[in-house]
Amino acid sequence: MEKPMNKFSVPASELNKQKEYTELVRTVLSSRFPSGKPRAFVHTYGCQGNVADGEKLQGMLYEMGFDFTSDVNSADLVLYNTCAIREHAEDRVFGNVGALKPIKKQNPDMIIALCGCMTQQQRVADKIKNSYPFVDIVFGTHVAHRLPEFIYRSLCLGKRVFETADSDGNIVEGLPVKRDGTFRAWVPIMYGCNNFCSYCIVPYVRGRERSRDFDTVVSEVRSLVASGYKEINLLGQNVNSYNKELTADRQFPALLRAINEIEGEFIIRFMTSHPKDCTRDLIEAMADCKKVAKHLHLPVQSGNNRVLSEMNRHYTREKYLSLIEYAYELMPELSITSDIIVGFPGETYDEFKDTLSLVESVKYTSLFTFIFSPRYGTKAYDMDDPVSRQEKGEWFNKLVALQEKIAGERTSSMKGRSYRVLVEDKAKHDGILSGRTQGNVIIEFEGDEGLIGSFADVRVTNPRTWIVYGELV
Ligand code: SAH
Ligand code: SF4
Ligand code: F3S
């Protein structure tokens, strides 16, 4: 058992209690399912941090005796691990939960559980309590490690469970993990967020910023690499403020350097970096560390200083561009990606044009673009928002068209060059594989399926805008 690291650590006694519940559930399930294991359908929405949580939920379910199915109709337990980042994300979950009602009618013993960022909001938990009586278990992000107890209360006591109390958050080490991938691993290094960007729900549903212990993270990565993982994704809402309260030798650039020292061929990726805390130290560490992918996801959100200030982002267009300049100076091949919000409340067309000009000058590899979605409880929710959805849609299309042009220019310059890629999957066509360059460009080429999960050198023969085609070298 890990020693308690800081005030956020969950004590061993609480985890031991959960182990007892795990055993109780296991015993009950094995008598209810004498000829096989019950099946769980687990689906995670949202960011990679949520995916990492989902893998722990799966780990706990596995220890309770569940097997997994991808067919929701035949599941004994359905668990949706939800996301609240935009309205659309929530609508999808409500739609999918609604669709479970007739399935549960057929199979009244099915347990339906909802967790994650969406259910951490009291408003959502209340709506489910009142309007979705067939949902058995609802819990928030801060108590996910108590899943065994919640299953016990539902399965053995027949009670509906609602556990969504607010909290500053915690750090739980030592939970079982059932990973989806065999060569790509998600490794959270910090949780929560203190930034309160005015549009964002995350700080309200994920609690305060808190970092995992440096040596614990390094040894987790070491054992992942030893067991064959080839891509390590270090995760946090703002990895640049990892261990902010400690000395530089425990902060994020130092963590990258320490992980880079681990023996073996593997690639290190990280997200997300907040520009306000992105330092020259970080850029230098990226440039120095051979195993760190030359890809920086640095969400700018807007290219206009007034909008950035209303968003509470704490950097200016000029500061952002100077970071980019330094990064390109040290790594001319660097691939930069970003998130952009179109139509923040009060944004004018002239201000939006500053975003276009910034995008033009940075030359991003790709962009994640979003139309502003009001999130209840955030500051921006109450701001005046005079621009119509339709007009925002037109701005959005302009941005997408601009980025398409830039992406096409970038990928055409890849022609004839070779890239070392991690082969990830079969592509849609037979005999074709797909992988990603360090810079996160998808590349497809002919090859044997046995290559999946290993590195290969691929020369680009036919670059298209979003996918480049190539051949094994
Ligand atoms: N912590 C990361 C972002 C995580 S959320 C960062 O600060 O960069 C991922 C992206 O969702 C954000 O970068 C933002 O572009 C988008 N987003 C967040 N809240 C949104 C909202 N209310 N409406 C539209 N997009 C939003
Ligand atoms: Fe949201 Fe801002 Fe925190 Fe990112 S840094 S999670 S956008 S509040
Ligand atoms: Fe969504 Fe929560 Fe991640 S709101 S984006 S799942 S932190």
Side-chain angles (χ1 to χ4, degrees):
M1 185 53 56
E2 303 287 338
K3 60 183 188 298
M5 297 298 178
N6 62 35
K7 66 174 174 149
F8 289 107
S9 298
V10 169
S13 56
E14 196 172 325
L15 294 177
N16 287 336
K17 216 161 72 189
Q18 295 307 317
K19 287 201 176 124
E20 288 166 22
Y21 283 117
T22 299
E23 286 314 311
L24 284 171
V25 171
R26 215 185 156 82
T27 312
V28 172
L29 287 176
S30 61
S31 69
R32 287 204 197 167
F33 295 84
S35 57
K37 285 177 155 197
R39 279 163 303 180
F41 173 95
V42 180
H43 186 78
T44 292
Y45 301 79
C47 62
Q48 293 156 346
N50 218 30
V51 171
D53 288 351
E55 293 183 336
K56 289 185 190 127
L57 295 164
Q58 287 176 175
M60 288 184 272
L61 289 170
Y62 187 74
E63 295 212 329
M64 283 179 254
F66 283 92
D67 223 338
F68 297 92
T69 173
S70 53
D71 172 23
V72 72
N73 294 293
S74 68
D76 300 293
L77 172 108
V78 176
L79 174 60
Y80 286 139
N81 183 27
T82 63
C83 169
I85 200 78
R86 284 169 291 274
E87 200 175 353
H88 176 71
E90 293 200 354
D91 290 347
R92 258 183 33 218
V93 172
F94 278 121
N96 288 346
V97 173
L100 292 175
K101 191 176 177 179
I103 304 175
K104 179 140 177 174
K105 248 204 182 110
Q106 299 289 315
N107 175 12
D109 289 335
M110 173 189 260
I111 294 179
I112 298 178
L114 301 181
C115 65
C117 294
M118 209 174 136
T119 50
Q120 184 58 52
Q121 304 166 97
Q122 199 53 46
R123 171 185 63 93
V124 173
D126 290 344
K127 175 168 168 179
I128 294 162
K129 193 180 228 163
N130 300 325
S131 310
Y132 295 80
F134 53 93
V135 173
D136 304 287
I137 303 175
V138 176
F139 58 100
T141 58
H142 303 303
V143 291
H145 61 284
R146 288 168 54 200
L147 179 64
E149 172 193 339
F150 304 152
I151 304 250
Y152 171 81
R153 279 157 55 187
S154 173
L155 185 76
C156 306
L157 309 180
K159 297 227 164 81
R160 277 186 103 191
V161 177
F162 285 83
E163 292 276 359
T164 57
D166 197 12
S167 151
D168 281 350
N170 51 35
I171 294 180
V172 188
E173 294 293 354
L175 287 179
V177 185
K178 194 160 190 326
R179 295 183 191 271
D180 293 325
T182 52
F183 53 86
R184 181 195 290 168
W186 313 115
V187 179
I189 63 167
M190 59 187 305
Y191 305 100
C193 183
N194 285 352
N195 292 315
F196 290 92
C197 300
S198 59
Y199 50 82
C200 186
I201 193 73
V202 171
Y204 300 91
V205 293
R206 286 280 167 178
R208 300 290 58 78
E209 207 166 85
R210 52 212 187 267
S211 300
R212 289 180 69 197
D213 172 65
F214 190 99
D215 297 327
T216 307
V217 172
V218 175
S219 55
E220 180 173 331
V221 174
R222 190 175 291 116
S223 69
L224 286 167
V225 170
S227 53
Y229 283 89
K230 297 283 189 277
E231 181 186 295
I232 303 296
N233 289 269
L234 305 174
L235 304 177
Q237 289 301 346
N238 178 11
V239 292
N240 297 331
S241 60
Y242 175 73
N243 275 344
K244 196 158 76 179
E245 63 290 355
L246 303 185
T247 48
D249 62 335
R250 303 271 105 179
Q251 292 180 353
F252 189 59
L255 183 69
L256 281 183
R257 290 179 192 277
I259 293 175
N260 188 62
E261 290 295 309
I262 296 172
E263 297 240 349
E265 186 178 14
F266 66 99
I267 185 164
I268 306 163
R269 297 184 184 274
F270 58 91
M271 78 165 19
T272 299
S273 280
H274 192 307
K276 92 177 154 66
D277 300 308
C278 179
T279 56
R280 293 190 160 220
D281 267 5
L282 170 73
I283 294 169
E284 286 155 16
M286 281 183 82
D288 289 346
C289 294
K290 262 191 85 178
K291 290 170 187 161
V292 174
K294 299 301 173 268
H295 169 213
L296 180 60
H297 183 61
L298 197 64
V300 71
Q301 313 299 355
S302 162
N304 176 270
N305 284 338
R306 190 198 67 85
V307 175
L308 285 172
S309 155
E310 288 292 297
M311 287 176 162
N312 197 31
R313 290 290 286 180
H314 292 283
Y315 53 83
T316 59
R317 172 191 179 97
E318 292 73 27
K319 172 176 175 199
Y320 185 88
L321 288 174
S322 80
L323 282 169
I324 300 285
E325 195 183 350
Y326 188 58
Y328 276 142
E329 190 185 311
L330 264 50
M331 296 168 279
E333 300 285 312
L334 182 66
S335 167
I336 303 175
T337 57
S338 194
D339 297 348
I340 287 180
I341 297 179
V342 174
F344 182 79
E347 184 179 33
T348 65
Y349 184 63
D350 272 349
E351 290 170 336
F352 168 69
K353 283 203 298 201
D354 289 341
T355 298
L356 293 179
S357 73
L358 181 134
V359 166
E360 181 81 72
S361 69
V362 175
K363 304 250 176 285
Y364 292 109
T365 300
S366 59
L367 283 182
F368 297 91
T369 43
F370 310 103
I371 291 183
F372 169 73
S373 169
R375 304 284 62 214
Y376 181 80
T378 64
K379 201 166 164 218
Y381 184 85
D382 296 315
M383 291 180 182
D384 266 355
D385 192 3
V387 176
S388 71
R389 182 78 188 195
Q390 190 199 334
E391 201 171 337
K392 290 182 184 184
E394 287 160 15
W395 301 1
F396 183 88
N397 293 341
K398 279 193 185 152
L399 176 60
V400 170
L402 172 63
Q403 180 54 34
E404 189 161 337
K405 181 189 83 140
I406 294 168
E409 287 164 8
R410 285 193 65 109
T411 47
S412 38
S413 73
M414 295 171 75
K415 187 165 179 165
R417 301 185 49 194
S418 294
Y419 295 85
R420 191 148 184 81
V421 305
L422 177 57
V423 187
E424 293 180 359
D425 210 345
K426 289 189 283 186
K428 280 194 199 108
H429 305 287
D430 271 352
I432 307 292
L433 302 173
S434 90
R436 271 178 310 146
T437 65
Q438 277 201 26
N440 226 21
V441 174
I442 297 172
I443 186 160
E444 292 191 356
F445 52 94
E446 212 177 295
D448 186 275
E449 266 179 49
L451 286 173
I452 293 174
S454 62
F455 288 97
D457 293 308
V458 182
R459 184 170 33 243
V460 174
T461 51
N462 176 19
R464 302 282 187 84
T465 303
W466 302 122
I467 299 185
V468 302
Y469 298 92
E471 60 194 15
L472 281 171
V473 177

